[in-house]
Amino acid sequence: MNTDKQKIIVFDTTLRDGEQSPGASMNQAEKLRIATQLEALGVDVIEAGFPAASPGDFEAVKAIAQTLKKTQVAALCRANEEDINRGWQAIKNAVHPRIHTFIATSELHMKYKLQMEPDQVLKKAVESVKLAASFTDNVEFSAEDGSRSDKDFLCKVFEAVIDAGATTVNLPDTVGYAIPEEFAQLVRYVMENTPNIDKAVLSVHCHNDLGLATSNTLAAVTSGARQVELTINGIGERAGNTSMEEVVMALNTRPNFFPYFTDIDTTRIFPTSRLVSMITGILVQPNKAIVGANAFAHEAGIHQDGVLKNPMTYEIMKPETVGISKNNLVLGKHSGRHALHTHIQEMGYNLTDEELNTVFKKFKNLADKKKKILDEDIEALINEGVLRSSDVFNLEYIHVLSGNTVYPTASIVLKINGRPVQGATEGSGPIDAVYNIISKLTGTKSELLRFTISALTEGTDAQGEVTVRLKEDGMVAMGKGADPDIITASALAYINGLNRLEYMKTHPPIEPASL
Ligand code: KIV
Ligand code: ZN
């Protein structure tokens, strides 16, 4: 079907560059779940992490490498022997391993960050690729800050690393500085001035500092790039990376303009976006292209009228194409386990029997309080019941007294590593009281940087969804919680944030400076 079109290789770096978003660090089980979802989505390569960064990263990459069957699993390594050896140890059992090594090639980075001469950088790049190629024939080399590098030096480095065994050469716009036309010209220059470029795939990796990551990536594709490096929801350092859903849907929606295809199953885009948002706690802005809550909402009467007559009047894509179910109204009190299971599968989640039992129990509890259970509710139940199974702190009981004539008081029972602890205290308001006692019981001293609350669905019986941002010892973590009782949702979000901080204490996140 796609014989007249060229394939674009989709390289997902949600678990590596995406994880470098402030507060987005994930534990091994969470990474594994995202990796499995990305494989089902049809991603060609998953950058599972940076094994030399921490023992936690190493273990997570190893677990992903051992689990995935179809997708290539890449490990990021700086251009040195230790990183590459460590990276290989993490991925050597993968069905399709890839070593991804990188070094900066711009004058600015070479002079100030690396304090190396261009010839030394070239030598290191070649040695590193040779070492990587001694382990596997699937080696990617990235010229960090490539878009601000001298064009001819860039081509010289690419030529040398391809000779040394690199099968993919990646041109990153590390600081999101490029402009689409200029980036397209650079890609064309590299294609025309790297004599052996036909022996490798040219890849691009863009950051979104000027909001141009998607445009730059697409411009690069039209100039010859055949691999694109992306993250779900565009998460990543600073303003983020190129968003997978935007690039894939641009190629998909404009086939006459872009004679290319990807192997992405677009109907899994929305569930994957929700999963990443739930796990990382990074909310998707409502007006975000493709996956934002308003991406397919038509408020203006004239638009609604047009869409009713023919959806194509104002919709360039169908919501179903990206996996947004039209039939959101779903289950209730009388729905059984089988109906819940079928619906969860339709939403794009694969749960084990045990996980389904946990979610079903929570579903029944919620159905006692809320008449109509919608997709958003079910996602929150999956998040609470399944994705957080390895937590240190768990909420067992909460009772809060508040009103305009009493001192707000909270009584809490927590389980800390399975051991119950309880206590009660006051606060200036009910949430303050809850957070005070949780902080005391857990012995944590985090600062609450941000607290937001919104309704997950319509109606006064909706679940409140709370997102918090916590800081402790210089580490920042997000937390999320949902419940029809907003005080309970607030407690759950706080506890989720504390669990993330706990994980970060034992698994320090990658320091951007170390890249
Ligand atoms: O942005 C960047 O340059 C990177 C490289 C490590 C590929 O993330
Ligand atoms: Zn990057």
Side-chain angles (χ1 to χ4, degrees), residues 41 213 282 332:
L41 179 66
I282 300 178

Side-chain angles (χ1 to χ4, degrees), residues 146-445:
S147 60
R148 293 193 300 169
S149 301
D150 176 83
K151 294 202 293 273
D152 293 315
F153 182 60
L154 191 60
C155 296
K156 189 171 163 185
V157 173
F158 280 169
E159 182 184 0
V161 295
I162 293 169
D163 276 345
T167 42
T168 301
V169 285
N170 182 37
L171 169 45
D173 181 26
T174 304
V175 289
Y177 181 75
I179 303 295
E181 218 176 311
E182 170 200 50
F183 198 54
Q185 276 168 18
L186 179 60
V187 167
R188 215 167 295 127
Y189 191 88
V190 168
M191 291 298 291
E192 285 165 5
N193 293 281
T194 308
N196 51 2
I197 196 72
D198 59 313
K199 301 203 168 53
V201 171
L202 180 60
S203 167
V204 288
H205 171 117
C206 298
H207 280 264
N208 204 29
D209 298 65
L210 292 173
L212 293 171
T214 298
S215 307
N216 284 332
T217 301
L218 292 170
V221 166
T222 58
S223 289
R226 289 294 171 265
Q227 176 177 285
V228 288
E229 301 200 353
L230 314 167
T231 63
I232 300 294
N233 300 337
I235 64 168
E237 261 196 88
R238 309 183 306 279
N241 287 56
T242 311
S243 126
M244 154 114 55
E245 56 279 6
E246 291 176 13
V247 170
V248 168
M249 288 314 292
L251 297 178
N252 194 283
T253 308
R254 301 296 308 274
N256 294 339
F257 190 83
F258 295 114
Y260 315 106
F261 71 96
T262 69
D263 283 337
I264 296 296
D265 172 357
T266 60
T267 63
R268 291 186 186 262
I269 286 179
F270 189 66
T272 311
S273 158
R274 294 287 309 164
L275 182 73
V276 169
S277 173
M278 277 198 306
I279 287 182
T280 58
I282 300 178
L283 300 177
V284 175
Q285 75 195 58
N287 59 326
K288 168 82 179 64
I290 322 294
V291 291
N294 296 345
F296 292 92
H298 300 279
E299 283 288 323
I302 194 165
H303 288 201
Q304 286 173 348
D305 182 55
V307 168
L308 284 174
K309 288 176 176 145
N310 180 343
M312 295 315 272
T313 50
Y314 287 99
E315 271 181 8
I316 59 166
M317 299 164 269
K318 291 194 185 117
E320 307 90 274
T321 310
V322 298
I324 297 175
S325 135
K326 262 189 168 166
N327 175 21
N328 188 11
L329 174 62
V330 275
L331 306 166
K333 202 175 170 150
H334 301 294
S335 307
R337 192 177 176 281
H338 182 70
L340 179 69
H341 190 198
T342 310
H343 194 77
I344 286 177
Q345 280 176 326
E346 276 167 16
M347 286 168 66
Y349 295 98
N350 284 317
L351 302 188
T352 62
D353 276 355
E354 201 187 329
E355 290 170 342
L356 183 65
N357 288 343
T358 310
V359 175
F360 186 58
K361 226 184 263 167
K362 286 184 172 285
F363 166 78
K364 283 289 174 188
N365 284 339
L366 181 62
D368 277 340
K369 300 178 194 160
K370 190 171 187 276
K371 223 164 147 190
K372 298 172 187 168
I373 309 285
L374 307 181
D375 287 1
E376 292 86 341
D377 295 313
I378 294 173
E379 276 176 345
L381 296 180
I382 295 173
N383 192 23
E384 290 287 339
V386 177
L387 303 178
R388 298 187 185 166
S389 49
S390 56
D391 285 349
V392 174
F393 308 125
N394 283 292
L395 180 68
E396 289 290 302
Y397 168 91
I398 177 166
H399 179 87
V400 176
L401 189 68
S402 78
N404 61 351
T405 57
V406 288
Y407 275 123
T409 311
S411 310
I412 294 267
V413 181
L414 291 182
K415 268 197 177 156
I416 302 184
N417 284 322
R419 193 175 49 87
V421 290
Q422 58 183 322
T425 200
E426 293 173 348
S428 63
I431 293 170
D432 188 44
V434 167
Y435 283 20
N436 286 344
I437 187 61
I438 292 175
S439 159
K440 197 166 159 199
L441 292 175
T442 55
T444 54
K445 302 216 172 332

Side-chain angles (χ1 to χ4, degrees), residues 16-17 20 47 76 100 102 140 142-146 170 172-175 205 207 229 241 515:
R16 199 278 299 171
D17 228 349
Q20 288 175 221
E47 186 159 59
L76 184 70
H100 177 193
F102 74 99
E140 172 167 341
S142 283
E144 193 191 6
D145 207 19
N170 182 37
D173 181 26
T174 304
V175 289
H205 171 117
H207 280 264
E229 301 200 353
N241 287 56
L515 289 180

Side-chain angles (χ1 to χ4, degrees), residues 446-451 467-472 475-477:
S446 65
E447 187 187 341
L448 180 65
L449 299 180
R450 201 180 67 200
F451 177 98
T467 306
V468 296
R469 200 173 157 90
L470 305 179
K471 187 172 179 186
E472 193 178 6
M475 291 178 297
V476 174

